């Protein structure tokens, strides 16, 4: 299983499945932030964007993911104030230019993006900007990998993991050594080029199922990771239970703003409800139970132009990448 959505996209872009032995099957994991976001989070963003005086900012992929009824893009057509951004730091300028508005940033992602939101908060606090809030759905990887590995154990569905390179650049790969030992499965930290991915898959095979970890992305990933980024995240966020699309709540798998920064929180806690679109099998895709082609809606009802589920929306989503390859 490649855990990271950027790995999924690079594997497809480089045609890697066609280069592998038929004995090796790659499956995508829960490392695409848009794919694992529950409908309650989208619904909350929509209700915030509908309130007069609010402006919701988000990245492009999130616009097209449906909540329990509609997407942010649909809501915008109904009058919701939503704007696409390329960097969360655009929020600072907007908040300063529009003191009459409440600027709300949709903060989703993993350990890779959490430091960006910590830096954004730091700057907002320094500049005494008070009309900026985050709606967070930040998640952490080890707990969900542990959960997926446990779910797959009885069927031996997953026999090794390509660990997420970008996440490990922040966290370090120490915790993946611990996970490998605990799960009794091999982990290889991989880079993102075609050559790096092929080499990492080869290394995974050479480990022959042993519960050990290898770091094949040493130019970016160290054992302890980026200690400054980790300290910044720790200053503003604390571990919390988090809900994952189709998987339920996994204890300790999220990051929530600390109580001291509650004034910057747009109501992120307790967003657990999850109403996936009828017939959508995203949860089975994200845990490796089925391949996208096995979903009855794949490329019939659900296409990149008209996505039915989140895994078809995101360019890192498994269904999207199977559709375009
Ligand atoms: Fe969901 Fe579409 Fe993927 Fe089926 S093909 S699992 S409906 S995103």
């Amino acid at each position: 299983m490649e855990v990271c959505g950027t790995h999924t996209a690079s594997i497809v872009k480089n045609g890697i499945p066609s280069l592998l032995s038929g004995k090796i099957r790659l499956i995508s994991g829960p490392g695409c932030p848009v794919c694992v976001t529950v409908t309650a989070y989208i619904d909350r963003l929509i209700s915030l964007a509908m309130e007069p005086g609010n402006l919701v900012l988000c990245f492009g992929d999130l616009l097209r993911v449906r909540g329990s009824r509609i997407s942010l893009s649909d809501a915008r057509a109904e009058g919701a104030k939503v704007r696409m951004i390329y960097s969360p730091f655009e929020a600072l300028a907007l908040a300063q230019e529009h003191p009459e508005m409440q600027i709300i940033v949709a903060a989703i992602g993993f350990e890779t993006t959490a430091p960006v939101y910590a830096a954004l908060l730091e700057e907002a606090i320094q500049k005494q900007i008070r009309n900026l809030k985050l709606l967070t759905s930040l998640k952490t990887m080890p707990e969900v990998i542990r959960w997926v590995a446990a779910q797959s154990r009885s069927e031996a569905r997953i026999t090794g993991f390509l660990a997420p390179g970008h996440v490990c650049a922040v966290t370090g790969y120490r915790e993946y050594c611990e996970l490998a030992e605990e799960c009794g499965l091999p982990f290889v930290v991989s880079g993102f080029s075609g050559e790096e991915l092929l080499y990492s898959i080869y290394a995974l095979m050479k480990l022959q199922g042993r519960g050990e970890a290898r770091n094949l992305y040493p130019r970016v990933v160290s054992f302890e990771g980026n200690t400054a980024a980790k300290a910044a995240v720790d200053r503003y966020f604390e571990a919390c239970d988090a809900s994952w699309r189709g998987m339920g709540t996994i204890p300790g798998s999220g990051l929530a703003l600390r109580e001291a920064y509650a004034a910057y929180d747009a109501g992120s806690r307790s967003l657990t409800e999850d109403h996936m679109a009828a017939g959508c099998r995203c949860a089975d895709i994200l845990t490796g139970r089925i391949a996208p082609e096995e979903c009855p809606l794949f490329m019939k009802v659900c296409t990149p132009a008209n996505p039915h589920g989140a895994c078809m929306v995101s360019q890192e989503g498994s269904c999207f990448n199977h559709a375009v390859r």
Side-chain angles (χ1 to χ4, degrees):
M1 170 177 275
E2 85 274 0
V3 179
C4 173
T6 316
H7 276 154
T8 299
S10 185
I11 283 167
V12 170
K13 185 173 151 221
N14 286 286
I16 286 179
S18 66
L19 303 173
L20 300 178
S21 151
K23 292 178 184 168
I24 302 171
R25 184 170 153 242
L26 294 175
I27 52 179
S28 308
C32 153
V34 168
C35 304
V36 296
T37 300
V38 292
T39 54
Y41 180 80
I42 306 287
D43 291 346
R44 173 82 183 136
L45 280 176
I46 291 172
S47 72
L48 286 166
M50 287 288 190
E51 278 176 35
N54 283 353
L55 172 65
V56 166
L57 307 179
C58 72
F59 289 115
D61 278 358
L62 201 61
L63 277 173
R64 298 172 66 214
V65 179
R66 269 220 304 249
S68 59
R69 193 176 67 84
I70 56 172
S71 67
L72 277 164
S73 178
D74 300 331
R76 191 162 58 179
E78 293 179 12
K81 293 272 187 310
V82 183
R83 190 181 292 186
M84 192 181 97
I85 50 168
Y86 293 97
S87 160
F89 285 88
E90 290 173 41
L92 291 170
L94 279 165
Q96 283 175 313
E97 282 164 25
H98 299 282
E100 77 287 1
M101 296 190 86
Q102 191 72 242
I103 307 294
I104 295 142
V105 182
I108 67 167
F110 297 103
E111 293 98 322
T112 332
T113 27
V116 177
Y117 292 110
L120 177 68
L121 275 182
E122 193 149 288
E123 206 166 323
I125 291 165
Q126 272 170 10
K127 292 183 170 163
Q128 301 191 338
I129 296 174
R130 306 205 195 283
N131 58 331
L132 186 151
K133 289 183 192 288
L134 304 183
L135 190 74
T136 62
S137 180
L138 292 166
K139 296 182 167 71
T140 50
M141 276 285 143
E143 299 78 11
V144 72
I145 292 175
R146 194 175 282 119
W147 188 89
V148 168
Q151 296 285 312
S152 93
R153 191 161 294 133
S154 59
E155 309 151 37
R157 194 166 60 242
I158 300 165
T159 51
F161 287 94
L162 288 175
H166 290 147
V167 164
C168 290
V170 174
T171 63
Y173 72 99
R174 172 199 284 272
E175 50 194 359
Y176 291 86
C177 297
E178 293 162 3
L179 263 180
E181 202 175 324
E182 186 187 323
C183 300
L185 290 169
F187 281 69
V188 173
V189 183
S190 179
F192 293 85
S193 70
E195 293 86 346
E196 284 171 320
L197 281 160
L198 274 177
Y199 186 35
S200 298
I201 293 164
Y202 175 71
L204 209 45
M205 296 303 115
K206 294 289 275 183
L207 280 168
Q208 298 188 324
R210 294 193 303 276
E212 297 172 20
R214 298 280 184 276
N215 176 21
L216 296 188
Y217 198 25
R219 67 194 159 90
V220 175
V221 173
S222 65
F223 191 60
E224 296 296 347
N226 184 330
T227 49
K230 288 197 286 188
V233 171
D234 200 40
R235 199 172 308 133
Y236 294 102
F237 297 99
E238 61 188 3
C240 67
D241 298 347
S243 295
W244 298 68
R245 183 170 287 243
M247 289 179 249
T249 299
I250 302 178
S253 66
L255 291 170
L257 278 167
R258 291 185 180 278
E259 191 56 39
Y261 303 104
Y264 292 91
D265 191 344
S268 310
R269 298 211 186 218
S270 310
L271 297 175
T272 54
E273 271 186 54
D274 192 20
H275 303 285
M276 289 203 309
C280 177
R281 304 279 306 271
C282 275
D284 291 330
I285 307 276
L286 294 164
T287 50
R289 281 197 192 93
I290 63 166
E293 292 82 356
E294 293 174 69
C295 170
L297 308 187
F298 181 77
M299 294 310 279
K300 297 184 184 94
V301 175
C302 182
T303 64
N306 187 22
H308 197 62
C311 297
M312 189 61 95
V313 172
S314 170
Q315 298 199 359
E316 294 189 348
S318 184
C319 298
F320 175 87
N321 279 288
H322 277 245
V324 299
R325 79 182 182 191

